[in-house]
Amino acid sequence: LCHGAGGKATQTLIEAVFLDAFDNPALAPLADGAVIADTHAFTTDSYVVTPLFFPGGDIGDLAVNGTVNDLAMCGARPVCLSAGFILEEGFPVADLRRITTSMAAAARTAGVHIVTGDTKVVQRGKADGCYITTTGLGAFHHDIRPGARMARPGDAVIVSGPVGDHGITIMLARGELDIEADTVSDTAALAGLVDDLLTACGPHLHTLRDPTRGGVATVLNEITATTQLAAVLDEDTIPVRPAVRGACELLGIDPLYVACEGRLLALVAPEATQTALSTLHAHPLGQDATVIGHLTDDPPGLVLLRTTFGGTRIVDLLVGDPLPRIC
Amino acid sequence: MPGKAHSVSTERVRLRIRVEGIVQGVGFRPHVYTLARRLDLAGWVGNDPKGVFIEVEGLRAALDLFLGDLKGEAPPLAVIDRVATTVLPLTGDRGFHIADSVQDGSRRTSVSPDFGTCDDCLAELFDPADRRYRYPFVNCVNCGPRFTIVTRVPYDRSTTTMARFPMCGECAREFADPADRRFHAQPTCCPDCGPVLSYTVVDGADRQVLAQGEAALQRAVTAVRTGLIVAVKGLGGYHLAVGAEDEPAVRRLRDLKHREAKPFAVMVADLAAARTLAGLTSEAERLLADPRRPIVLVPRHAEALTAPSVAPGTGEIGLMLPYTPLHHLLLRETGPIVLTSGNISDEPIAFKDAEALNGLSSVADAFLTHDRPIHIRTDDSVVRIVAGRATPLRRSRGYAPEPLALSLQRPVRRAVLACGGELKSTFCMVQGDRAFLSHHIGDLENYETLVAFTEGIEHFQRLFGVVPEVVAHDLHPEYLSTKYAAELADVELAGVQHHHAHIASCLADNRERGPVIGVAYDGLGYGTDGTLWGGELLIADFTGYVRVGSLTPVPLPGGEAAIRHPWRMAAAYLAEMDLTHTPPVQHRHAADWDRVRALLKTPAHSPPTTSAGRLFDAVAALLDLHDTVAYEGQAAIALEQTADPTETGAYPAHIARGDPPSCNGNLPYPGPSLLLNGGELVRAVVEDRRTGTPPEAVAARFHNGLAALTVAACLRVHEASGLTTVALSGGVFQNRLLTDRLTDALRRHGLQVLTHHRVPPNDGGLSLGQAVIAARRHP
Ligand SMILES: [Fe+3]
Ligand SMILES: [Mg+2]
Ligand SMILES: [Zn+2]
Ligand SMILES: [Zn+2]
């Protein structure tokens, strides 16, 4: 079950099963999307979320925004999407209509068209309401191909807004916890924001990632594992909304590991840090963007957190669901 | 018999003798030399990487005496593991000499721990006529730095951080004189040739040496007396020092160090000074005066003049006596000082000069430092008297890296490395029939500590010539030590369950092999069912275990958050026991109480645990001692301190039958597993509190109740298994009241009890247990 938490178990599964079977040059980098003929980006993602409707969004806009963002993180402008539905027998039509309506709205906002689709209905109990798979095609309008491999020592690590809103909202929306949910999912399409960044920073924009499953900590661990660089974060600079922080404290969760669906991490050359920040600040989705750390070449492959008191804590890739380590 | 002796009196023999153990750097060659000269034997003695080699030739009677005195009159710091002799043909050589060190072959020698200044050196230090009068680096073959300055083996001046100080003529003469106490004392030095003390202030990037030598010492004395914080370079790292009776200074040190509440250790000049601060048993006095010089936890006198902030909220105080000449000089003029590790918050103690001067400049007003480098960071050791014997809580300076003799059936063929736990981490290597347990490394989540862990392992491999083929680790997938093990190449991995390792550690500590009834009570450890264990009854030996019982599981609301906030455990236990009464702790957390109760119902956020430590937390919160803790174990320590040791009442609790026991290995067990209902103890606490029973009595009745519950469970396991020995391990057995009660009761029932005395019961001893299990399972 912990194979979906976005940590090491997921990675091991991907490496063991899929890389083995489908090995080819476009797949190898394990980025969010694949580059085709150097002109287009191509990506697919399946969406499973409980509950289907939550403050700030639903599975429909999540499925559109997630795939749009995967294209955007490759540096591509999304062109069109396909959508596949798996529905459990008896799934209310009204709910389906609500989902498709929000998909359409999200696609409009992101400037993409949903051009093809498919629906399958499975027996009651064989699925949990509604699953959606979206596939996206994007086109490159710039020469820049941001990726983990472009990251360099000295790069600033920028996050486009507060972390953890989506993941915490989902946990609270399940209704098992007695918390007045004062949080809203951050789900949003980041294509426009990325377009602005690419234009403003050009080749100084080295890497873009959306910290979805496993959050900022997991994405940075993936980058440092690829590059054998270190990411050093400053605890005091990491933006977390008070409501999210409060819920994290109650649940005993580190917000660095909580998913976002409308935030990006940008690794930017030091000379372009200010440009990147002012570009982000000028966009409605990047108003709270901030530098949370930087890359160095030592110690290779680690993500470190400078704590408020000057300690250096290792922010490691989680193997599975976190259990306390204190004896 | 007389006739027989007569017939061989003129027979000459030549022997080759190998001595293994701690025989380098402790004056062993001079001992051999003196002995051989006295008995008129010819030959030589030398060091090689395996230990000491000797060839001697002479009358058989003299050789017999030689072999007897070799062991019987060995220098105080020597530890002889083995002496092997071979007869050689006579060569007729004359005279006895000390040969050069030989560097090859596999290493069996041990590096000595660091030892406190000996009486002879102390006398010189304060003798105005001595050439080392008031010289802060005086040492001899019987005392001084060892492990902390050794860079390689064989042990020689050139392989220590003293290599940079060429000896002056007089020191060289002493070093070469077999009759001198400094004969081959590798770190020997004097004011003419040795390290120099300096008093330095740091202002940003600017460092200014304000004074050197005696003047530096005097500046430091004045600084401490006027309430300043002085960083003092010791044997294994930097300390921060302030006057122990100076409340504003101690308070300021706490603020700057970001150390809210964890007690500070105090150094006093001598036993007389110690007696003014605390009640000392003869065992406590022996430990304080031991040349290993641990911090000893002792009951503080109510009227002691130490500042309240030294050890807030506890009736104990950690005392130690000076262990370097510098400490002796300082303490004679300052009076008792707080001497706490030179770090900020949870960082490891600073030991490299540049890092210390940078890292500690936000805390220290000045630095009393010197130019003899420290090669290995080593914290002060801590001991407490539990169940009548000295129990290490932290085994480090003065003890590490002394090898521990083991009780294995046979020496291991393949060397073992055990990677230990996550907090209070140590590692351990087993080679042959000895275990090299590392010094205290610390919390691996901290990056500098993880570096010290990996570098420490490499250093031990070089020092002791160990090439591990089997690597043991905990089962917790997120421990950084587990991940370290997983990434090693070309080794066989051996995952060892946390509480099995605790019990094996206690067995190895006592040179037993089991099987025993093991009681493993601690905070948390990863169980084979993926839940968090911590209140376990095992039947165990080095080959395996059966989990024959545990505390009844309760949810841990919010995982690590529940560990930081003991009040959450109170909420968890009240919900578990369906208690509707509203204790004060609930009123204090009215806003969050229902949220935490809701959390209890979501297993994803409330993993079940059988932890004994969390049971203590719940009771401490119900007694209004600690709702939140600033350091590990704080609530449990307060609960023990609160308990009235004269109270004999005990809360009752039941044992239920659980599922058939889960096992690992082939140990037979016919009985059902036992569920010890800790919740009933909590219910009794709540009842007693409601009727106004004083907390001192409640805390004691809880301790007594848990001891009685544990005894009852042990007796059932004893009846079902026939086993008659009980081993107590895990961090909870740092608790003297519980351990004493449990030990007494078990013994009254005719059971033998094993507690820790060579390695800590907490996770600091875990790696030893992992190592012996791996050695047995992966021969
Ligand atoms: Fe433990
Ligand atoms: Mg995705
Ligand atoms: Zn001495
Ligand atoms: Zn000298």
mmCIF file of all heavy atoms in Angstrom, chain B residues 77 115-122 124 138-144 146 181-182, ligand 3:
data_model
loop_
_atom_site.group_PDB
_atom_site.id
_atom_site.type_symbol
_atom_site.label_atom_id
_atom_site.label_comp_id
_atom_site.label_asym_id
_atom_site.label_seq_id
_atom_site.Cartn_x
_atom_site.Cartn_y
_atom_site.Cartn_z
ATOM 1 N N LEU B 77 46.788 0.471 33.526
ATOM 2 C CA LEU B 77 45.852 0.678 32.410
ATOM 3 C C LEU B 77 45.848 -0.481 31.418
ATOM 4 O O LEU B 77 45.077 -0.492 30.466
ATOM 5 C CB LEU B 77 46.192 1.973 31.664
ATOM 6 C CG LEU B 77 46.170 3.251 32.510
ATOM 7 C CD1 LEU B 77 46.324 4.470 31.621
ATOM 8 C CD2 LEU B 77 44.884 3.342 33.328
ATOM 9 N N PHE B 115 42.500 8.451 29.894
ATOM 10 C CA PHE B 115 42.399 8.335 31.352
ATOM 11 C C PHE B 115 42.727 9.647 32.044
ATOM 12 O O PHE B 115 43.563 10.411 31.583
ATOM 13 C CB PHE B 115 43.327 7.236 31.864
ATOM 14 C CG PHE B 115 42.761 5.863 31.638
ATOM 15 C CD1 PHE B 115 43.136 5.125 30.532
ATOM 16 C CD2 PHE B 115 41.817 5.333 32.500
ATOM 17 C CE1 PHE B 115 42.600 3.877 30.294
ATOM 18 C CE2 PHE B 115 41.273 4.083 32.269
ATOM 19 C CZ PHE B 115 41.666 3.344 31.174
ATOM 20 N N GLY B 116 42.077 9.851 33.175
ATOM 21 C CA GLY B 116 42.287 11.053 33.968
ATOM 22 C C GLY B 116 43.697 11.094 34.547
ATOM 23 O O GLY B 116 44.344 10.062 34.744
ATOM 24 N N THR B 117 44.160 12.302 34.802
ATOM 25 C CA THR B 117 45.492 12.552 35.341
ATOM 26 C C THR B 117 45.763 11.689 36.577
ATOM 27 O O THR B 117 44.943 11.644 37.497
ATOM 28 C CB THR B 117 45.617 14.042 35.724
ATOM 29 O OG1 THR B 117 45.156 14.810 34.621
ATOM 30 C CG2 THR B 117 47.043 14.417 36.064
ATOM 31 N N CYS B 118 46.930 11.016 36.584
ATOM 32 C CA CYS B 118 47.256 10.136 37.705
ATOM 33 C C CYS B 118 47.812 10.938 38.888
ATOM 34 O O CYS B 118 48.151 12.119 38.748
ATOM 35 C CB CYS B 118 48.243 9.057 37.273
ATOM 36 S SG CYS B 118 49.913 9.678 37.027
ATOM 37 N N ASP B 119 47.915 10.317 40.045
ATOM 38 C CA ASP B 119 48.372 11.009 41.248
ATOM 39 C C ASP B 119 49.798 11.531 41.113
ATOM 40 O O ASP B 119 50.122 12.620 41.581
ATOM 41 C CB ASP B 119 48.275 10.067 42.463
ATOM 42 C CG ASP B 119 46.819 9.837 42.856
ATOM 43 O OD1 ASP B 119 45.940 10.582 42.359
ATOM 44 O OD2 ASP B 119 46.566 8.903 43.641
ATOM 45 N N ASP B 120 50.663 10.746 40.437
ATOM 46 C CA ASP B 120 52.054 11.186 40.259
ATOM 47 C C ASP B 120 52.111 12.468 39.436
ATOM 48 O O ASP B 120 52.838 13.408 39.765
ATOM 49 C CB ASP B 120 52.878 10.087 39.571
ATOM 50 C CG ASP B 120 53.090 8.874 40.475
ATOM 51 O OD1 ASP B 120 53.059 9.059 41.714
ATOM 52 O OD2 ASP B 120 53.267 7.763 39.944
ATOM 53 N N CYS B 121 51.358 12.473 38.349
ATOM 54 C CA CYS B 121 51.362 13.670 37.493
ATOM 55 C C CYS B 121 50.741 14.853 38.229
ATOM 56 O O CYS B 121 51.184 15.991 38.090
ATOM 57 C CB CYS B 121 50.613 13.401 36.186
ATOM 58 S SG CYS B 121 51.540 12.373 35.039
ATOM 59 N N LEU B 122 49.688 14.574 39.012
ATOM 60 C CA LEU B 122 49.019 15.622 39.766
ATOM 61 C C LEU B 122 49.988 16.257 40.776
ATOM 62 O O LEU B 122 50.022 17.481 40.948
ATOM 63 C CB LEU B 122 47.813 15.012 40.496
ATOM 64 C CG LEU B 122 46.660 15.933 40.806
ATOM 65 C CD1 LEU B 122 46.184 16.653 39.555
ATOM 66 C CD2 LEU B 122 45.523 15.134 41.429
ATOM 67 N N GLU B 124 53.204 16.426 40.481
ATOM 68 C CA GLU B 124 54.134 17.279 39.719
ATOM 69 C C GLU B 124 53.478 18.594 39.331
ATOM 70 O O GLU B 124 54.092 19.660 39.384
ATOM 71 C CB GLU B 124 54.588 16.547 38.446
ATOM 72 C CG GLU B 124 55.495 15.354 38.716
ATOM 73 C CD GLU B 124 55.758 14.518 37.452
ATOM 74 O OE1 GLU B 124 55.049 14.716 36.431
ATOM 75 O OE2 GLU B 124 56.652 13.678 37.493
ATOM 76 N N VAL B 138 50.615 17.918 31.313
ATOM 77 C CA VAL B 138 51.411 16.863 31.930
ATOM 78 C C VAL B 138 50.660 15.533 31.819
ATOM 79 O O VAL B 138 49.452 15.457 32.005
ATOM 80 C CB VAL B 138 51.727 17.216 33.408
ATOM 81 C CG1 VAL B 138 50.472 17.569 34.167
ATOM 82 C CG2 VAL B 138 52.451 16.085 34.097
ATOM 83 N N ASN B 139 51.392 14.498 31.441
ATOM 84 C CA ASN B 139 50.812 13.152 31.384
ATOM 85 C C ASN B 139 51.945 12.152 31.471
ATOM 86 O O ASN B 139 53.122 12.533 31.441
ATOM 87 C CB ASN B 139 49.999 12.940 30.108
ATOM 88 C CG ASN B 139 50.861 12.932 28.864
ATOM 89 O OD1 ASN B 139 51.556 11.956 28.576
ATOM 90 N ND2 ASN B 139 50.840 14.034 28.118
ATOM 91 N N CYS B 140 51.626 10.890 31.603
ATOM 92 C CA CYS B 140 52.661 9.875 31.671
ATOM 93 C C CYS B 140 52.081 8.567 31.136
ATOM 94 O O CYS B 140 50.969 8.537 30.623
ATOM 95 C CB CYS B 140 53.186 9.722 33.102
ATOM 96 S SG CYS B 140 52.042 8.851 34.197
ATOM 97 N N VAL B 141 52.842 7.515 31.319
ATOM 98 C CA VAL B 141 52.414 6.254 30.745
ATOM 99 C C VAL B 141 51.166 5.712 31.462
ATOM 100 O O VAL B 141 50.478 4.832 30.959
ATOM 101 C CB VAL B 141 53.598 5.261 30.781
ATOM 102 C CG1 VAL B 141 53.726 4.619 32.148
ATOM 103 C CG2 VAL B 141 53.507 4.245 29.669
ATOM 104 N N ASN B 142 50.848 6.284 32.630
ATOM 105 C CA ASN B 142 49.687 5.818 33.380
ATOM 106 C C ASN B 142 48.441 6.694 33.209
ATOM 107 O O ASN B 142 47.414 6.431 33.823
ATOM 108 C CB ASN B 142 50.025 5.729 34.865
ATOM 109 C CG ASN B 142 51.122 4.714 35.119
ATOM 110 O OD1 ASN B 142 51.149 3.660 34.494
ATOM 111 N ND2 ASN B 142 52.050 5.053 36.000
ATOM 112 N N CYS B 143 48.549 7.761 32.433
ATOM 113 C CA CYS B 143 47.397 8.655 32.311
ATOM 114 C C CYS B 143 47.503 9.509 31.058
ATOM 115 O O CYS B 143 48.530 9.517 30.401
ATOM 116 C CB CYS B 143 47.291 9.557 33.547
ATOM 117 S SG CYS B 143 48.539 10.863 33.624
ATOM 118 N N GLY B 144 46.417 10.205 30.766
ATOM 119 C CA GLY B 144 46.441 11.168 29.680
ATOM 120 C C GLY B 144 45.659 10.733 28.457
ATOM 121 O O GLY B 144 44.946 9.739 28.479
ATOM 122 N N ARG B 146 44.609 9.236 24.857
ATOM 123 C CA ARG B 146 44.942 8.070 24.039
ATOM 124 C C ARG B 146 44.041 8.016 22.803
ATOM 125 O O ARG B 146 44.382 8.487 21.755
ATOM 126 C CB ARG B 146 44.780 6.758 24.831
ATOM 127 C CG ARG B 146 45.663 6.608 26.055
ATOM 128 C CD ARG B 146 47.121 6.366 25.696
ATOM 129 N NE ARG B 146 47.904 6.029 26.886
ATOM 130 C CZ ARG B 146 48.421 6.895 27.736
ATOM 131 N NH1 ARG B 146 48.237 8.183 27.543
ATOM 132 N NH2 ARG B 146 49.114 6.496 28.781
ATOM 133 N N ARG B 181 58.931 7.023 34.605
ATOM 134 C CA ARG B 181 57.491 6.845 34.423
ATOM 135 C C ARG B 181 57.062 7.260 33.014
ATOM 136 O O ARG B 181 55.968 6.923 32.563
ATOM 137 C CB ARG B 181 56.766 7.704 35.467
ATOM 138 C CG ARG B 181 55.349 7.287 35.751
ATOM 139 C CD ARG B 181 54.786 8.057 36.936
ATOM 140 N NE ARG B 181 54.198 9.322 36.561
ATOM 141 C CZ ARG B 181 54.693 10.521 36.862
ATOM 142 N NH1 ARG B 181 55.829 10.636 37.543
ATOM 143 N NH2 ARG B 181 54.076 11.615 36.488
ATOM 144 N N ARG B 182 57.889 7.992 32.338
ATOM 145 C CA ARG B 182 57.534 8.453 30.988
ATOM 146 C C ARG B 182 58.261 7.668 29.903
ATOM 147 O O ARG B 182 58.262 8.062 28.739
ATOM 148 C CB ARG B 182 57.806 9.952 30.858
ATOM 149 C CG ARG B 182 56.900 10.730 31.793
ATOM 150 C CD ARG B 182 56.839 12.192 31.498
ATOM 151 N NE ARG B 182 55.754 12.781 32.278
ATOM 152 C CZ ARG B 182 55.879 13.172 33.535
ATOM 153 N NH1 ARG B 182 57.050 13.054 34.152
ATOM 154 N NH2 ARG B 182 54.854 13.669 34.184
HETATM 155 ZN ZN ZN C 3 50.394 10.362 34.927
#
